[in-house]
Amino acid sequence: MPIGTAEFNYIRDLVRQQSAIVIEPGKEYLVESRLASLARGEGFASVEQFIAQLRSRPQNGLHRRVIDAMTTNETSFFRDVHPFDALRQVVIPELAARRQAEKTLTIWCGACSSGQEPYTIAMVLRELGHPFPGWTVRVVATDLSTEMLERAKGGRYSQLEVNRGLPAAFLVKYFQKTGAEWSVKDELRKLIDFRPINLAEPWAGMPSCDIVFMRNVLIYFDVPTKRDILGRVRRLLRPDGYLFLGGAETTLNLDDSYRRAPVGKAVAYRPPEA
């Protein structure tokens, strides 16, 4: 039986306050399923008892773990494949040619989850020969969930996870077997800078970016938050840069300063001057 209205509203308000993520009414089953294992691990007989304890305490580390548990972390290597084809075939070669004088390239993964997306980008870079000698090439990978960031930094994946989208040749080339898991090799790790960032709050220390991947995350925010995030991305993106969103996401009617730009079978969004 799903949790009650009062318990659901408490979690919904907590998540929105801390992350700006909107949990729509009718998602009681989602809250129940996401918090069940956390409640058991803390010794509670039910999710309702767990939430009652949360409500009776000032916000603390346990509340932070609730936010982590409620953050959607669905991901895979080479997810939806076409944006990575666009990187390999068009975007990175084009920007590399433009950046010959300064020899820098910065890519931001704005919701990196357990790390498959930034490691996929690192593999694309390595396959193209980046970083070239004398270049500074980095992938900045951020996420709201500290738990997911620790997983991503660890770079260890189960057989099931590497079977989801990762070509066998890349598994052999860029991973090594560690017990029952596969570990990312250092040549990929050294390209990635993992950082905690809440997209709804100021992005302290973020550099200007050539490419931004912010895929399948805007769908969880309300319209004002989407507009705010897209506006800040636009100010961070270099004038000839590329923004990649998820297949169900768009800048249309949110920030019309972007120009929609098909790139092969993918779609990117670019500043008006690009």
Side-chain angles (χ1 to χ4, degrees):
M1 182 176 181
I3 60 174
T5 301
E7 290 83 3
F8 172 74
N9 287 341
Y10 173 79
I11 296 298
R12 183 181 64 177
D13 292 345
L14 175 67
V15 170
R16 184 158 188 166
Q17 177 189 13
Q18 296 296 319
S19 70
I21 292 173
V22 177
I23 303 175
E24 298 291 348
K27 298 287 188 179
E28 288 83 355
Y29 70 92
L30 177 65
V31 172
E32 178 92 25
S33 63
R34 291 285 178 86
L35 296 186
S37 62
L38 182 55
R40 285 194 300 271
E42 293 296 321
F44 292 91
S46 68
V47 173
E48 289 86 348
Q49 290 181 12
F50 175 60
I51 295 174
Q53 184 73 358
L54 289 173
R55 296 179 72 175
S56 70
R57 293 181 176 181
Q59 290 194 17
N60 55 31
L62 194 55
H63 293 75
R64 177 72 258 174
R65 292 178 65 195
V66 169
I67 303 301
D68 284 353
M70 292 306 304
T71 303
T72 300
N73 292 302
E74 171 61 25
T75 188
S76 62
F77 293 101
F78 289 92
R79 185 180 182 184
D80 304 325
V81 73
H82 298 312
F84 303 104
D85 288 342
L87 282 188
R88 177 175 55 84
Q89 296 168 359
V90 177
V91 176
I92 292 175
E94 173 195 303
L95 291 177
R98 290 174 179 267
R99 306 289 188 263
Q100 282 294 330
E102 60 191 87
K103 292 181 168 51
T104 63
L105 190 68
T106 301
I107 304 172
W108 178 24
C109 291
C112 73
S113 187
S114 48
Q116 285 92 324
E117 182 173 87
Y119 286 127
T120 297
I121 293 172
M123 284 184 270
V124 171
L125 287 165
R126 294 296 300 174
E127 289 296 298
L128 288 171
H130 282 283
F132 297 134
W135 279 65
T136 300
V137 178
R138 62 176 172 170
V139 180
V140 180
T142 69
D143 202 88
L144 168 70
S145 170
T146 53
E147 180 182 348
M148 284 297 107
L149 279 174
E150 287 304 310
R151 275 210 64 205
K153 287 179 185 178
R156 293 168 67 100
Y157 298 97
S158 68
Q159 188 67 52
L160 178 63
E161 288 172 317
V162 298
N163 285 345
R164 294 188 65 200
L166 184 63
F170 285 8
L171 176 62
V172 172
K173 187 173 182 179
Y174 295 113
F175 292 74
Q176 57 193 17
K177 201 75 160 60
T178 307
E181 297 180 311
W182 291 88
S183 297
V184 176
K185 291 184 178 179
D186 286 344
E187 64 185 282
L188 296 188
R189 291 177 190 273
K190 68 184 181 182
L191 291 175
I192 303 175
D193 173 13
F194 289 103
R195 305 181 186 182
I197 279 186
N198 184 338
L199 292 176
E201 296 178 354
W203 306 336
M206 278 298 299
S208 295
C209 297
D210 302 285
I211 304 165
V212 174
F213 268 56
M214 196 162 287
R215 303 170 65 224
N216 307 302
V217 62
L218 291 182
I219 54 175
Y220 299 106
F221 297 120
D222 60 23
V223 168
T225 305
K226 291 177 184 179
R227 286 176 174 154
D228 175 63
I229 291 171
L230 286 171
R232 286 191 283 152
V233 169
R234 178 166 39 79
R235 292 188 288 274
L236 202 65
L237 198 61
R238 297 187 63 175
D240 57 352
Y242 289 81
L243 165 65
F244 288 90
L245 301 176
E249 298 167 325
T250 180
T251 63
L252 186 64
N253 297 324
L254 295 170
D255 190 328
D256 292 335
S257 297
Y258 286 95
R259 177 171 61 86
R260 187 178 185 274
V263 187
K265 293 183 179 180
V267 171
Y269 297 87
R270 310 194 67 189
E273 57 268 42

